[in-house]
Amino acid sequence: PMYQFSLQWYNDLFKMSIDDSKQQKKKGKGRGKSKQSVSKRLRELNNYHTESVYKTVCQSLFERHKLLYSFQICTSILKEEGKIIPEEFTFFLRGGVV
C-alpha cells in the first residue's frame, strides 16, 4: 500500500514539533508574557504540529493527491471546531442518496 508512515516517524515528528514550537516562542512569538495558560500553549502546539504534519506529508504525496489531503485536513479541523454541520457535510459528500 502507498503512503504508509510509521508510528516512529510520527513520534519523532511530534517531539520535533514540541521542540520547534518552543524555539518559535523564544524567537519572538509570544513575547511579553512570561507565563502562558495551558490551554493557549496546547492550542499553539496543536496548530504548529498540524502544520508540521501537513507540510511533511505533502512532500511525500503525488501532486494529484495533495488537494484531497488538504481538503481532508481542513474538514477535520472544522469538524473539531464545530463549524461543519454533520448532516450538511454528509449531504455534500453523498448527495441526495438515502
Side-chain angles (χ1 to χ4, degrees):
M2 296 176 64
Y3 300 142
Q4 290 185 353
F5 297 93
S6 69
L7 181 59
Q8 183 62 45
W9 170 83
Y10 183 81
N11 283 335
D12 292 342
L13 186 63
F14 184 73
K15 291 174 187 175
M16 189 172 64
S17 292
I18 292 171
D19 293 339
D20 289 350
S21 68
K22 287 179 186 175
Q23 290 174 1
Q24 288 289 354
K25 184 180 172 196
K26 288 179 185 176
K27 287 182 182 178
K29 290 186 177 181
R31 275 192 185 155
K33 293 183 180 180
S34 60
K35 290 190 177 181
Q36 208 178 67
S37 71
V38 173
S39 62
K40 183 177 179 184
R41 174 68 179 137
L42 288 174
R43 197 169 40 251
E44 289 175 359
L45 180 58
N46 190 35
N47 291 340
Y48 190 89
H49 182 64
T50 301
E51 182 179 354
S52 180
V53 168
Y54 173 78
K55 286 179 179 179
T56 306
V57 170
C58 273
Q59 291 175 353
S60 304
L61 295 177
F62 291 125
E63 199 62 37
R64 65 179 185 232
H65 296 151
K66 290 181 181 181
L67 183 60
L68 183 59
Y69 178 65
S70 297
F71 178 75
Q72 183 181 11
I73 292 289
C74 182
T75 54
S76 296
I77 291 169
L78 292 174
K79 279 182 190 178
E80 188 65 31
E81 294 175 352
K83 295 182 179 178
I84 289 183
I85 300 167
E87 294 80 16
E88 289 181 2
F89 187 67
T90 301
F91 181 79
F92 171 75
L93 291 177
R94 298 182 184 159
V97 179
V98 177

